[in-house]
Amino acid sequence: MPGNGDDLYGALAERVRVDRRRFLGLVGAGTGVVVLGACSSGGGSAAKRPPSSTLPKTTSGPTTTSAPPVPGSQGITADPFTLGVASGDPRPESVVLWTRLAPEPLTADGTGGLAGSDIKVLWEMASDEAFDKVVVSGIEVATTAFGHSVHAQPHGLEPDTWYHYRFRVGSYVSPVGRARTMPSDDATPDQLRIAFVSCQSRTAGHWTAYDHLAEDDLDLVFHLGDYIYEYPGGEGPTKVALDHEPQTLADYRVLYASYKRDPKLQKAHQRAPWVITWDDHEVQNNYADETPDHAKDQAAFAARRTAAYQAFWEHQPVRIAPPAADGSLDVYRTVRFGRLATFFVLDGRQYRTDQVCGDKVPTSASSCDELDDPDHTMLGTKQEAWLAKGFQAVDTTWTVLAQQTVMKALVFGDVILNVDQWDGYPAARSRLLKSIDAAGLENVVVLTGDIHAAGAADIRLPNADIKGKVVAHELVGTSISSPGVAAVGEAFDLASIGIPYANFVDHGYGRCTITPRRWTAEFVTVDTISEATSPAQVDATLEITAGTAGLRRV
Ligand code: FE
Ligand code: CA
């Protein structure tokens, strides 16, 4: 979905106003919802998939029980921990610890004020906040090649255990973060608490939701994309230090630094491990694989995407290998919480075919033959096969897809709201839903961002429409700050297409309590992003009972 200031918003709102009467007429007259495109199975696609990069590897030096000495200042003369700390992608024996050294984070050359040499950094994990009991520590080399970012991967940690962590260089000590390991794969935990967030346009306002998220007692936070936006400018405390759209690695580093300096975001990262995927704005609005939003950007796009992918890797606490020689990044992966939940973290951007029929908002189904093309893919052949195989191996109560764009069909008569979503890839969506059903999975939850609105819906065979067997339950989180599309909420009768809850106005996040018996989803909204702080409340609560298909509003 486009972000702030994007023409597509205006176009959509205008079309909604013009066609509102017709849309409502169609739905009211019982015209029903068009089942989109071909319900092809198998087939696969000829997606442009670059060669796979290497498997994740442990980059840390050996973990020791006797602390290595703190490295000297190595020429650093100001606090290098301006971008905070973060942890992510936990396993039973490990969790990734991240920081990026940047004493001058907004310098236009993207060096963070550290041009020149690689720098040694000490990382420490302790069982207490005062670091009297350091459990493991090690030295990482923060290289100039990767923006002096650090991705320490300690190993040998206790499962299902909270730790404190920090980094040190010379006399400089980072903020302290909290991180936890996952329970053993065969453990049977009673409960898991997660939040899911998306779409935090810096220039749109204050991230007041993070003040509340940071106070929640969470085990994991999922970020579903649009962590940054490519838009420059802004005002006051929500200004970004770019006056043009990013093109180079230096530009994207400055953009990430502008975002990462936010104290609310830093605090939210410090409180729990995050699992992060991306959507379009980490590169450019509505890009698809190697195709930019606008044809005029094509010539420079490959280099731009490569720069953006590297900057993503440098700035996130991800357990994935650095970019491959061809610039690709293996973002899709799994996270597991004992026998309670398997999370499939998806990449719906890097391998997708270009949006159908010019990516018009909205699109007329009857005049878009491309919708029938079974080769159109959201995930690409390789990821799609990986996911289907992964479904077959699930041995946890809950199966979760942490992914970008709305899966539920948002189709009103002949009108498809947004073909950038799964609605534009009906054959791929049908294959995905069939693979869930074929694996016999019962308790499937889809976590979604992108649309800047909160919502929930059952996902039914064959193509996420209003009739058919429920095979999954979608929870869509509203944006942290990016502008909503209130006109859509006003124009459409969402209940008529099987959406029991939607909020197209407010900002906030999703918060879930997951047990072996029940999934409880709370949609948290804040009153304002125009001020530095805001009250928050639970706007709606929905439940899924394990073994019983269907969302229930409570
Ligand atoms: Fe967004
Ligand atoms: Ca998006």
Side-chain angles (χ1 to χ4, degrees):
M1 206 69 176
N4 48 317
D6 199 292
D7 291 345
L8 285 174
Y9 265 126
L12 173 58
E14 186 56 29
R15 270 303 294 271
V16 164
R17 276 189 291 276
V18 169
D19 290 343
R20 181 171 187 272
R21 180 183 297 264
R22 188 167 69 87
F23 297 160
L24 294 177
L26 284 169
V27 174
T31 309
V33 174
V34 172
V35 177
L36 288 175
C39 296
S40 154
S41 63
S45 91
K48 290 166 284 181
R49 170 73 182 109
S52 173
S53 60
T54 54
L55 287 170
K57 56 180 182 270
T58 300
T59 54
S60 301
T63 297
T64 63
T65 48
S66 59
V70 183
S73 63
Q74 301 161 85
I76 296 176
T77 56
D79 178 14
F81 298 111
T82 59
L83 304 181
V85 299
S87 71
D89 289 354
R91 291 177 175 169
E93 82 296 349
S94 176
V95 58
V96 174
L97 308 178
W98 173 91
T99 193
R100 180 187 162 217
L101 307 180
E104 298 169 44
L106 303 179
T107 52
D109 65 4
T111 62
L114 288 179
S117 48
D118 298 349
I119 293 168
K120 287 184 180 139
V121 184
L122 174 69
W123 55 268
E124 297 175 308
M125 295 191 88
S127 55
D128 65 318
E129 197 166 2
F131 285 79
D132 290 330
K133 298 169 191 157
V134 173
V135 178
V136 289
S137 61
I139 299 285
E140 280 287 305
V141 178
T143 68
T144 50
F146 289 111
H148 297 99
S149 61
V150 177
H151 299 77
Q153 295 185 26
H155 47 84
L157 302 176
E158 288 294 316
D160 204 12
T161 301
W162 282 97
Y163 295 90
H164 295 85
Y165 66 94
R166 67 183 181 185
F167 300 89
R168 300 170 72 177
V169 177
S171 60
Y172 301 103
V173 183
S174 79
V176 173
R178 288 170 79 236
R180 64 160 301 156
T181 53
M182 298 291 88
S184 307
D185 287 354
D186 60 355
T188 53
D190 295 334
Q191 180 178 287
L192 164 65
R193 294 256 298 170
I194 68 167
F196 59 101
V197 299
S198 62
C199 296
Q200 52 192 42
S201 174
R202 173 69 296 181
T203 58
H206 296 276
W207 296 333
T208 51
Y210 280 133
D211 282 336
H212 299 277
L213 182 148
E215 297 304 316
D216 289 334
D217 187 18
L218 301 169
D219 297 296
L220 289 170
V221 176
F222 288 83
H223 200 297
L224 305 174
D226 293 356
Y227 190 103
I228 60 164
Y229 281 74
E230 73 275 30
Y231 306 124
E235 297 292 333
T238 63
K239 179 180 164 65
V240 301
L242 272 186
D243 59 6
H244 56 279
E245 272 205 23
Q247 298 288 339
T248 65
L249 178 57
D251 289 345
Y252 279 101
R253 282 176 176 169
V254 170
L255 198 54
Y256 271 102
S258 294
Y259 277 62
K260 286 276 188 182
R261 283 171 56 75
D262 184 84
K264 299 175 196 299
L265 177 64
Q266 289 192 10
K267 187 170 181 207
H269 272 295
Q270 285 169 28
R271 295 295 293 167
W274 287 38
V275 178
I276 300 172
T277 185
W278 57 20
D279 194 23
D280 51 339
H281 288 285
E282 278 79 357
V283 182
Q284 185 198 42
N285 179 55
N286 282 16
Y287 87 96
D289 189 3
E290 293 168 337
T291 306
D293 196 15
H294 304 292
K296 68 177 172 57
D297 297 325
Q298 186 66 66
F301 191 69
R304 179 178 178 176
R305 196 187 88 152
T306 295
Y309 281 16
Q310 177 167 337
F312 170 88
W313 186 85
E314 289 174 350
H315 289 85
Q316 303 296 22
V318 286
R319 190 188 298 278
I320 58 183
D326 65 1
S328 65
L329 203 59
D330 285 347
V331 168
Y332 64 85
R333 59 202 189 277
T334 58
V335 172
R336 180 188 174 106
F337 196 81
R339 291 265 180 182
L340 190 54
T342 302
F343 295 87
F344 293 93
V345 182
L346 304 186
D347 177 356
R349 284 292 161 190
Q350 190 172 188
Y351 318 111
R352 69 156 75 189
T353 43
D354 197 17
Q355 291 89 350
V356 294
C357 299
D359 197 11
K360 288 195 287 292
V361 178
T363 288
S364 160
S366 60
S367 55
C368 180
D369 291 344
E370 286 178 50
L371 284 164
D372 297 334
D373 187 343
D375 284 344
H376 275 271
T377 177
M378 177 69 92
L379 303 177
T381 310
K382 187 180 165 195
Q383 184 179 191
E384 200 173 297
W386 165 84
L387 186 58
K389 193 176 171 196
F391 286 155
Q392 294 284 344
V394 166
D395 61 353
T396 53
T397 303
W398 301 94
T399 303
V400 190
L401 304 184
Q403 57 100 50
Q404 295 79 21
T405 56
V406 172
M407 193 168 288
K408 171 78 174 92
L410 298 181
V411 180
F412 295 85
D414 187 49
V415 172
I416 305 174
L417 213 54
N418 182 3
V419 292
D420 182 64
Q421 301 177 168
W422 283 91
D423 275 338
Y425 301 83
R429 180 172 57 194
S430 181
R431 289 195 297 271
L432 172 64
L433 300 184
K434 282 179 181 172
S435 69
I436 292 171
D437 195 42
L441 298 177
E442 277 196 306
N443 308 312
V444 180
V445 178
V446 180
L447 302 178
T448 300
D450 180 59
I451 198 176
H452 309 176
D458 294 334
I459 302 289
R460 298 167 184 273
L461 288 173
N463 223 332
D465 215 321
I466 50 177
K467 286 183 180 155
K469 179 183 175 185
V470 175
V471 289
H473 314 82
E474 183 169 30
L475 306 172
V476 181
T478 188
S479 63
I480 290 289
S481 61
S482 307
V485 278
V488 174
E490 291 166 11
F492 294 101
D493 180 2
L494 296 160
S496 73
I497 59 165
I499 296 179
Y501 165 69
N503 181 336
F504 279 79
V505 176
D506 294 314
H507 303 284
Y509 62 99
R511 184 171 64 201
C512 303
T513 303
I514 305 156
T515 73
R517 300 169 66 92
R518 190 172 293 112
W519 182 302
T520 306
E522 297 173 299
F523 290 88
V524 180
T525 55
V526 295
D527 291 354
T528 183
I529 59 167
S530 302
E531 295 168 31
T533 60
S534 170
Q537 52 277 312
V538 175
D539 189 50
T541 302
L542 287 97
E543 280 186 359
I544 308 158
T545 302
T548 305
L551 281 157
R552 206 172 51 254
R553 191 160 178 178
V554 293

